[in-house]
Amino acid sequence: MSDRDTIFALSSGRPPAAIAVIRITGPRARFAIETLCGRVPAPRRASLARLRDPASEQVIDEALVLWLPGPRTEIGEDMAELHLHGGRAVIAGTLATLGRLDGFRPAEPGEFTRRAFENGKLDLTAVEGLADLIYAETEAQRRQAYRQLKGMLGARAESWRERLIAALALVEARIDFADDVPDDLIGRALDTASLLRQEIRVVLADDRRGERLRDGSVVAIAGPPNVGKSSLLNRIARRDAAIVSPHAGTTRDIIEVHLDLEGYPVTLLDTAGIRPAEDPVEREGVRRARERAEAADLVLWMVDASGTNHRDSLCEPSGGGSAPVWMVRNKIDLIDSASKCEAASRSDDDGMRSYSISALTGVGIDELVSSLAIHARESFELPEPALVTRERHRNALRETTEALDRALREGVAGREDIVAEELRLAGRALGRLTGRVDVENILDVIFRDFCIGK
Ligand code: GDP
């Protein structure tokens, strides 16, 4: 450990800013503050010091300095923090001075966190939770990321793994000391395996809520040209995100806005005017629009309630995807109140949820948006918050249940050695989830997502 480089980086945001935090970690962290400040402050206490470049003896800045001796630190080794004035030259001067010290080099992206993982301070699921916390844009994403950072999934996986190891020990005892141990050891091990399989299956049957919350759900506004799709998107986004034009077919590309609906991330797509097209470019636009709309989690199928547009369309709501479809009748400002009621009641016949709005005047938009927020909450967090937030977790858990399936099958056939092997495989799959075993090849992928200084 002590032959490791000492690494440093700007950990705070882009300068210029009021304050910049430079973090230093590694065996020579103490040497760095000694050299720059001329003394080492009391551990874990902020103290004011002048930083000097040792070569020129020039003062670089006055800073709050923290000396954090390991291993009781976030990263598990000696650390230091310099809280400087956040100017570009101050930061550049300090980083350059640190870089000239023997055994020091700038940190790679995610290298601080990687060291914390290697020093056993975080398991892999927590590392991923930390990355998600940094990238979280909405309240619900933040909550999910924080839960994961604090070990919701990691602790669960560890406890499953411990129970698996205990079951495996029973099988091994039976194999090694057949005559001296009770017959029902295998039965007990298989009971545990079956229970674990059930628990993991429940966690996996989550409709991918956690993954979807990380990415945000996609709501596609689809429908014939000129019904007001772009106008609706604009109104909801409250800014000019899409081109509103009286000519059909001008909104060729899909335009999307990212919304924070009461803490839930929702991407709203304005699909190109979906209609049969002659022009190849436009046809491509139509094809893409259909594809995105089909992959959406929810489709808002918009029609012109004033009845001037939707009859000449050859399109039908949905377009083959499995997402629920809500009917949105736009331009109700153009119809009188008698036909409004008629429009509303007609929509209920086919059981499809229906909203009557005017993208122009704003009538009905609040109700539509709050329904979208409720829908997002229900699809992300009910019946309870998800544990699985990435495909990687899902694959590891799936491998675990598959190995348990095989263990249970072989158990019935009385093949104890194969039962033991399958339980071992199940345990290894869980170990990969938290990063306890064979993860070297996936580490680069996971840490690549981090920024420098984290
Ligand atoms: P898109 O092709 O479906 O995206 O439709 P646009 O949003 O480009 O709208 C087509 C035309 O309908 C534009 O001239 C809009 O100003 C108009 N429009 C959109 N929504 C409404 C509405 O609620 N009421 C009225 N009267 N006109 C609307």
Side-chain angles (χ1 to χ4, degrees), residues 223-232 243-251 270-271 273 302 330-334 357-361:
N226 260 338
V227 293
K229 296 183 295 297
S230 319
S231 307
L232 174 64
I243 314 140
V244 182
S245 147
H247 308 293
T250 46
T251 325
D270 169 21
T271 60
M302 188 175 258
N330 190 32
K331 307 198 187 181
I332 56 162
D333 55 291
L334 292 180
I357 64 159
S358 167
L360 191 71
T361 65

Side-chain angles (χ1 to χ4, degrees), residues 252 276-286:
R252 274 194 193 144
E278 297 294 315
D279 176 44
V281 178
E282 202 169 322
R283 253 205 315 270
E284 177 57 19
V286 168

